[in-house]
Amino acid sequence: MAAADRIQKLREEIAYHNHRYYTLDAPEISDATYDKLMNELISLEQANPALVTPDSPTQRVGGAPLEKFTKVTHRQAMLSLGNVFDDAELTEFHERVAEKLGADVEYVCEPKMDGLAIELIYENGRFVQGSTRGDGTIGEDVTANLRTLRNLPLELKGKTLPKLLEVRGEVFIRKADFVKMNQQREAAGEPTFVNPRNCAAGSLRQLDPKLTAQRPLSVYLYEVGVLDGVEFEGHVEKLKWLEAAGLPVNPRRYEAKGLEGVREAYQKLLADRHALPYEIDGLVVKVASEDGRLRLGQVSKSPRWAVAYKFPPEEVETLVEKIDVQVGRTGALTPVAFLKPVFVGGVTVSRATLHNEDEVARKDVREGDWVFLRRAGDVIPEVVKVIEARRSGAEKKFEMPKQCPVCGAKVERAEGGAIARCTGDACPAQLAGGIRHAATRTALDIDGLGDKLVEQLILHGLVKRVADLYALTAEKLMELERLGEKSAQNLVEAIARSKQTTLRRFIYALGIPQVGEATAKALAEHFMAVEPLLGASREQLQAVKDVGPEVAREIHEFFADAKNRDAVLALVAAGVVAAPPEKTAGGPFTGKTIVITGTLSKMSRDEAKEQIERRGGKVSGSISKKTDFLVAGEDAGSKLTKAKELGVKVLDEAQFSALL
Ligand code: IVH
């Protein structure tokens, strides 16, 4: 069958490109081409639901949320590494090794990934469990989250698969992915992450795997715990075996002979540090031979055969001249440190976000403090630490204002939340942020509406909400400072053009907290029009692909606010037309008869019925030979048995949701 072949081919290609990107850091195709392959696979699978398998790359969207993580006891303790900070300490380490194994001992040196340690378990070649390191003995079961990682194989390659493989490695985020993600979060009005490591750790410890699936996590494996029936002579052989099994292994490693070899490896890696696609904080030096490792053994919680040779921190010192608060589109107050300009990581930095109140308190950054500054992900300026020794006593503690610095309205912080928000109904800063957001290229795409102009429009009372843009004329615009006739004319035309837009752009332009471009697209495809979205219940919202309980709550809350609903209706009244996404000609449910049984966790049966009917399918109450699919929720009974007898294709809730 042609479709089956093509699906197989696409899966192989996608796996290949995931490997090129996430493992080898050598992509061969652009993001757009990659998306094309993925979209083709999604449509083919939609048209051929019987061919959807759990290991398809389309299934890495994350399953149902967990209540809490269960504990996992590691079969073999996960050790940590001792540190050395300079050549003298490295020499001491080497001398202890050389005493037993000789001065010419072979080492393998690897980048010390700055992420978080995990363990994966494969049984008969199948990924069955993954856990965090925890205290080394007991970690947390994060299997569902790890399954969403693009470069983590769910099945191993090879003819003879070991009964049990326990493999250890590091989950991390690439610098480029980190920067892109923070930009998108900012655009969606979500708080940004401090650095790739924190983000990786936070993402892996999400109870909702759907959230993890949206974070660009990568993994590299570097050690083996228990492994049945396979023995290695040395580390390189072990890494090669892992690679052959299809597991991601960092291609960068240095085979080094004796102390001099390690020194060379250290210099090479140090020189390449900033060019690497991920953050590292040193070089891990490991004795190569397995026999040598056994002879050296371990002390308390770290092995005597390996050490972490730490890099000097890439940090500079600078002065915090002022801490100011910026008010964003969602009213979020973000403290920002204004710094004495300083050169770090190739650019001059004069400000750094302090993210939120808790972050300022945790670091205890004060106006007048000297601080260490670095660039997180090698890009985003981050205040690492206050240099307390340089305090004079005249530093000023930061306090989150009780009133919005722009409009004076009360500032509130939701219980348990990290973000303080301006509660003002007509805050010019929120409004300006909202208008800038609505005008961005991926929203309503209004060219020529710069920050200064937006400020002026608000200052002069010409714009009180996005819809007011459509009432602007060239004459009114020309009354503003520095706007000539031509620019005014162009802007009016650009605004008029933006009236013809798509539903996904329209939804994105609304600036609903936590609704980025991807979620806006999913909402558009699901609701197909503005009105049903306005009235959707939380449960209905959660039935949308990739929308978890948290995002559903935000959307629901947004539309519960009359001001927001009015703003939407005003856009429609101003003549903005949001075209729904084109329906796919034949979806998996088109013309099919479907029976639903058991309890679905994400939606009621009525909602499921509605979803199927909207896609051109028919829902029937009883199973017969004519039934195309049975959707079986929890505790499915006789219908499930009957479907199996009749050979009717059964979809569990996850498969059903994926097809929707
Ligand atoms: S080997 C017994 N290799 O460093 C040796 N660890 O400080 C176990 N790490 O918990 C670790 N990159 O999270 C090893 N190439 C690498 C590593 C690495 C990063 C982390 C790992 C470990 C910590 C120890």
Side-chain angles (χ1 to χ4, degrees):
M1 184 186 171
D5 288 347
R6 182 68 190 145
I7 285 178
Q8 184 56 29
K9 183 101 205 322
L10 282 166
R11 286 184 189 158
E12 280 165 17
E13 268 187 55
I14 289 168
Y16 172 79
H17 291 300
N18 281 340
H19 180 70
R20 297 290 314 180
Y21 183 83
Y22 287 101
T23 305
L24 302 181
D25 183 44
E28 286 173 358
I29 56 173
S30 67
D31 287 1
T33 311
Y34 178 89
D35 289 345
K36 244 194 220 154
L37 293 175
M38 193 60 131
N39 286 336
E40 186 185 347
L41 180 59
I42 293 171
S43 346
L44 272 177
E45 287 185 352
Q46 282 180 349
N48 301 277
L51 299 177
V52 180
T53 55
D55 65 344
S56 171
T58 57
Q59 302 303 298
R60 299 201 176 199
V61 291
L66 305 174
E67 292 279 320
K68 64 175 182 25
F69 293 114
T70 46
K71 301 268 181 251
V72 173
T73 306
H74 302 298
R75 285 183 181 80
Q76 245 179 41
M78 287 178 77
L79 302 180
S80 67
L81 295 171
N83 293 322
V84 296
F85 293 93
D86 54 33
D87 192 72
E89 290 179 2
L90 174 74
T91 308
E92 279 174 34
F93 163 79
H94 168 73
E95 277 166 1
R96 281 194 303 272
V97 172
E99 215 172 280
K100 283 225 161 78
L101 307 178
D104 277 346
V105 53
E106 304 274 352
Y107 293 106
V108 179
C109 301
E110 300 170 349
K112 186 168 188 300
M113 307 300 299
D114 199 8
L116 104 151
I118 48 94
E119 172 171 271
L120 310 176
I121 295 180
Y122 287 85
E123 279 172 15
N124 300 309
R126 183 169 287 236
F127 174 56
V128 293
Q129 189 180 62
S131 53
T132 59
R133 175 173 181 276
D135 62 4
T137 309
I138 297 175
E140 283 176 326
D141 186 331
V142 288
T143 313
N145 290 342
L146 284 167
R147 288 183 66 90
T148 68
L149 269 58
R150 259 61 110 227
N151 74 337
L152 183 148
L154 303 175
E155 305 274 348
L156 298 182
K157 287 198 268 195
K159 288 203 193 72
T160 44
L161 296 165
K163 252 171 89 179
L164 175 69
L165 163 65
E166 221 182 56
V167 59
R168 277 94 187 257
E170 197 93 351
V171 167
F172 61 98
I173 293 189
R174 280 158 197 281
K175 292 174 192 170
D177 288 336
F178 172 73
V179 172
K180 197 161 120 194
M181 179 187 57
N182 256 358
Q183 283 164 350
Q184 285 168 353
R185 288 180 70 85
E186 209 172 325
E190 294 167 54
T192 50
F193 288 105
V194 178
N195 59 45
R197 212 206 81 81
N198 284 4
C199 177
S203 301
L204 204 59
R205 297 200 63 263
Q206 287 292 334
L207 287 168
D208 185 353
K210 285 204 167 54
L211 287 176
T212 310
Q214 290 169 18
R215 310 266 169 86
L217 299 173
S218 298
V219 60
Y220 273 151
L221 285 328
Y222 44 63
E223 287 296 336
V224 167
V226 180
L227 172 54
D228 282 344
V230 188
E231 270 175 33
F232 305 110
E233 272 185 12
H235 192 61
V236 174
E237 200 192 348
K238 179 195 301 166
L239 296 178
K240 287 190 174 151
W241 186 90
L242 294 176
E243 277 166 346
L247 288 159
V249 173
N250 194 340
R252 186 179 281 259
R253 55 183 172 251
Y254 310 88
E255 288 173 51
K257 199 184 198 125
L259 183 58
E260 208 39 55
V262 175
R263 286 180 177 143
E264 276 168 33
Y266 177 81
Q267 290 306 332
K268 272 193 207 145
L269 188 64
L270 190 59
D272 283 354
R273 179 179 192 182
H274 296 293
L276 292 179
Y278 40 73
E279 293 206 321
I280 59 172
D281 56 352
L283 178 78
V284 181
V285 182
K286 300 175 174 178
V287 166
S289 88
E290 207 50 47
D291 175 58
R293 290 187 180 188
L294 284 174
R295 284 174 57 196
L296 286 163
Q298 67 181 68
V299 272
S300 76
K301 292 202 164 171
S302 35
R304 265 197 292 245
W305 47 263
V307 81
Y309 189 176
K310 293 301 232 4
F311 283 161
E314 235 315 286
E315 292 169 1
V316 293
E317 295 177 18
T318 189
L319 176 71
V320 176
E321 292 176 335
K322 191 173 165 54
I323 299 178
D324 222 340
V325 168
Q326 284 180 348
V327 184
R329 145 173 84 74
T330 59
L333 267 60
T334 308
V336 178
F338 287 79
L339 309 163
K340 183 169 148 44
V342 59
F343 195 71
V344 55
V347 300
T348 302
V349 171
S350 56
R351 39 188 286 173
T353 172
L354 296 170
H355 301 279
N356 57 53
E357 204 176 351
D358 292 347
E359 190 64 14
V360 182
R362 196 174 63 75
K363 291 183 176 156
D364 189 20
V365 187
R366 306 177 189 179
E367 275 183 8
D369 262 336
W370 280 86
V371 294
F372 288 118
L373 184 84
R374 64 163 207 152
R375 291 178 74 202
D378 265 347
V379 179
I380 300 167
E382 178 193 356
V383 171
V384 181
K385 198 173 175 306
V386 169
I387 310 171
E388 278 182 46
R390 289 188 74 167
R391 275 199 174 147
S392 69
E395 294 76 16
K396 209 171 111 209
K397 254 195 160 173
F398 171 77
E399 255 182 71
M400 190 54 103
K402 306 256 180 306
Q403 256 112 33
C404 173
V406 180
C407 75
K410 199 163 160 241
V411 169
E412 270 174 14
R413 183 171 159 181
E415 212 169 307
I419 305 178
R421 283 181 207 275
C422 156
T423 56
D425 259 347
C427 174
Q430 283 187 46
L431 181 56
I435 289 175
R436 278 198 301 270
H437 172 76
T440 48
R441 204 176 40 78
T442 46
L444 295 176
D445 191 16
I446 305 175
D447 205 19
L449 202 58
D451 293 3
K452 284 260 145 39
L453 187 58
V454 170
E455 239 171 65
Q456 292 229 348
L457 290 172
I458 294 169
L459 193 72
H460 288 82
L462 289 175
V463 172
K464 295 200 168 62
R465 57 187 178 188
V466 179
D468 295 339
L469 291 173
Y470 296 97
L472 290 173
T473 59
E475 291 73 45
K476 275 196 221 163
L477 282 172
M478 278 159 62
E479 287 167 20
L480 300 176
E481 268 166 73
R482 278 180 300 154
L483 202 65
E485 185 173 353
K486 186 87 188 105
S487 323
Q489 201 62 48
N490 285 346
L491 182 56
V492 170
E493 278 163 24
I495 293 172
R497 268 197 305 276
S498 73
K499 281 187 186 174
Q500 297 302 323
T501 190
T502 59
L503 186 56
R504 55 186 280 199
R505 284 171 173 275
F506 185 94
I507 296 172
Y508 179 58
L510 298 177
I512 307 164
Q514 306 230 37
V515 175
E517 287 172 56
T519 309
K521 175 170 182 270
L523 290 168
E525 283 165 358
H526 188 95
F527 289 101
M528 300 300 282
V530 179
E531 293 74 21
L533 173 62
L534 284 185
S537 68
R538 281 200 211 180
E539 290 70 28
Q540 284 167 331
L541 288 163
Q542 274 196 57
V544 178
K545 184 173 107 249
D546 293 349
V547 174
E550 177 61 17
V551 177
R553 189 186 54 75
E554 286 279 14
I555 302 172
H556 190 255
E557 225 163 70
F558 182 87
F559 289 121
D561 185 337
K563 183 171 64 99
N564 292 330
R565 267 203 320 275
D566 288 348
V568 176
L569 298 175
L571 281 170
V572 176
V576 178
V577 180
E582 278 174 32
K583 277 208 174 158
T584 35
F589 300 113
T590 317
K592 299 282 199 271
T593 305
I594 293 114
V595 175
I596 309 171
T597 188
T599 319
L600 300 176
S601 62
K602 283 279 170 71
M603 58 182 108
S604 70
R605 284 213 213 163
D606 279 344
E607 277 156 13
K609 181 163 181 264
E610 195 191 313
Q611 294 294 341
I612 291 168
E613 287 170 353
R614 205 184 282 175
R615 288 162 178 76
K618 207 179 93 194
V619 175
S620 148
S622 61
I623 294 262
S624 76
K625 271 190 285 188
K626 291 206 190 102
T627 312
D628 292 292
F629 308 116
L630 174 74
V631 176
E634 206 70 32
D635 297 323
S638 64
K639 281 186 188 155
L640 181 57
T641 323
K642 189 153 178 213
K644 283 184 179 158
E645 278 168 20
L646 292 172
V648 170
K649 165 95 186 152
V650 178
L651 299 175
D652 66 22
E653 183 168 0
Q655 290 167 323
F656 175 60
S657 298
L659 289 178
L660 287 179

